[in-house]
Amino acid sequence: MQGRSRLDRELLDAEMIAGHLVPPGSVFAFLAEHRAELFPGSFTADLFPSRTGRPSLSADLAGSVLVLQQLYDLSDPQAADALKFDIRWKVACGRSLTQVSFDPSTLVYWRRRIAASDRPDRVSGAVAAVIAQTGILRGRRKRCVDSTVFDDAVATQDTVTQLVAAIRKVARVVPGAADVIAAVCALDYSRPGKPGIDWDDPVAKESLVSSLVNDALAVLAELAGPDAPERGEPEAGALGLLALVAGQDVEPAEDSDGTDGRWRIARKVAPGRVISTAGREARHTRKSKSKRRDGFRGHVAAEPDTGLITDCEMTMAAGEGSTDAENGVKMAARDRFRPGPPAAGDGSPAVPVPGAERENAAAGRDDAQPPAGAGAEARQGPDARLEVHGDPAYGSGDARAAYRDAGHDTIIKPGPLRPAVPGGFAIDDFTVDEEQGTVTCPAGQVRQMSKTRTVTFGAPCAACPMRSLCTTARDGRSMAIHPHDGLLRAARAQARTEEFKRAYPTRASIERTIAWIATQNGRRVRLRYIGTAKNNAWLHNRCAGLNLRTLVKAGLTRAGGAWALA
């Protein structure tokens, strides 16, 4: 059943005895005074439908601990110890000086219950409701977007380790697989560690790789062939992982087509490579050509003047759904601080529309939402437009089209043009006529675009006096015209204006916000959880804690039963 906080204070109440030691204006002091209003009983009531049983943690205690844990980047044992030994935590959470903490596994239980509920983002939702009620973002259209890579909680595994681990996982998870592996495999996978070979001998390593791949293929042929029974999710996942790691890093050996069983580690990195059998969603990525990172990518949108984080999303570091451009569009589309109701199913609290209370009252409704059918108009009106600031990663043609269609303004730096010849003609020197489907080169030659929007100028380039500035190709200049070529040209023209040059530096404020999220006490934050969903929940709670700290510094208080800024 749901736990409840005591209305009376204990004899050794931490706030009563040592509350003066907590710095005024800190998150600890704020929670000591207002945690019950920030996290009321309704915060967790839906998690405990039964009124019988042993009481769990109270809503205000659970909410306060979850916020403080992520704000200070503590592990579960560290958070439990802080609640037991740190006077600031005791004051903030309404504990007595002699009161012990709960077991660290309690936090695991709470995260699982919240993740499986209808409101998985309830912590960030509670803070978002405070932001909306204070009106601090009212009329503020600017949103700066950026991303950063977080190191994952698993070790990056080499090809041999992954193959051995995947075969052993099949033996553990799939019924009867251990006997099949013992019968069809050349290597003994019941012994711990890697197979013993001379690791300085290239021939021995290549022979081991061939044996591992052949064993994996033999296991798959027996357990996942056409005659194999239908598998449950854990069994199918283990077999799918084995199939993936058996193919992502290897290629036929030299002078082999793969049918003779000779394999070697490929001289390349497979796109979207799984880097660990323990965490299948962690990925390789690059911050630059020389800096490679493994983990997940956190995307953040923030209002530059206040520093408040308006949205965030954790994705794989590379692969489908991970690009900056598509996540920038996603965060703008579901921005909960624009007028109108939130996007369906995002779990965010409704932000009242100015004047909606009067319209609802006139229509006999008691909620603070716009009248039926008015949501789309509210979001598409002039007040609902955002001004998105971002670097070139957020300025793809598809993203710019999505912003345009949603009515948003963009201050996004375009990517640099790369002429075919250094110092020569770039795409902007060619004239594209979308109505006629033609492209005109600087020399006046006109060519028709193909159905795939490619164009080749061909023979006229041979005698063209401008050839040296245009192409070095023997068959003449050819190019592909982007489907949103007009938007990209307009973006490059916008970037040359003085107005853009004055507005673009606003984007730099997001770097400070990213530093708040990604560092703690001068060190880089490392993720503690496995999988995108759990790390996404962590990111939302982390941003909620940072937003609460920003609001407290801005003078957040409770006045007349409502949140306000002093």
Side-chain angles (χ1 to χ4, degrees), residues 202-222:
V203 176
K205 287 194 292 185
E206 192 164 307
S207 176
L208 174 61
V209 170
S210 296
S211 298
L212 288 169
V213 174
N214 291 330
D215 285 353
L217 296 177
V219 171
L220 290 169
E222 289 291 329

Side-chain angles (χ1 to χ4, degrees), residues 69-90:
Q69 178 188 16
Q70 307 308 346
L71 179 60
Y72 291 97
D73 188 38
L74 301 182
S75 65
D76 292 345
Q78 288 172 333
D81 285 346
L83 189 62
K84 183 177 181 179
F85 300 116
D86 194 322
I87 290 178
R88 299 173 302 170
W89 279 63
K90 287 182 175 291

Side-chain angles (χ1 to χ4, degrees), residues 97-247:
L97 291 176
T98 58
Q99 199 166 5
V100 297
S101 183
F102 44 72
D103 189 270
S105 62
T106 303
L107 292 172
V108 179
Y109 167 81
W110 273 88
R111 285 195 298 269
R112 287 178 178 174
R113 288 291 296 269
I114 292 175
S117 71
D118 294 332
R119 293 188 293 143
D121 294 338
R122 65 184 65 210
V123 175
S124 58
V127 177
V130 174
I131 294 174
Q133 197 169 101
T134 61
I136 188 173
L137 294 182
R138 189 172 297 126
R140 298 183 186 271
R141 301 175 52 231
K142 296 178 182 178
R143 299 290 185 269
C144 296
V145 290
D146 204 357
S147 68
T148 188
V149 178
F150 291 92
D151 293 334
D152 55 6
V154 297
T156 302
Q157 297 174 332
D158 58 49
T159 304
V160 171
T161 300
Q162 286 201 35
L163 285 166
V164 172
I167 292 176
R168 288 174 178 162
K169 184 172 183 178
V170 169
R172 291 193 308 269
V173 174
V174 180
D179 295 336
V180 172
I181 290 173
V184 303
C185 291
L187 300 176
D188 182 6
Y189 294 94
S190 63
R191 300 174 59 185
K194 292 181 179 180
I197 66 166
D198 181 2
W199 293 98
D200 293 327
D201 184 358
V203 176
K205 287 194 292 185
E206 192 164 307
S207 176
L208 174 61
V209 170
S210 296
S211 298
L212 288 169
V213 174
N214 291 330
D215 285 353
L217 296 177
V219 171
L220 290 169
E222 289 291 329
L223 299 176
D227 300 329
E230 187 174 347
R231 306 287 185 182
E233 185 175 346
E235 295 88 352
L239 290 169
L241 177 63
L242 177 58
L244 177 63
V245 299

Side-chain angles (χ1 to χ4, degrees), residues 125 128-129 132-133 336-338 340-342 346-353 368-370 379:
Q133 197 169 101
R336 67 178 84 193
F337 300 107
R338 289 190 289 141
D346 69 357
S348 56
V351 180
V353 179
Q369 299 306 313
R379 281 201 178 271

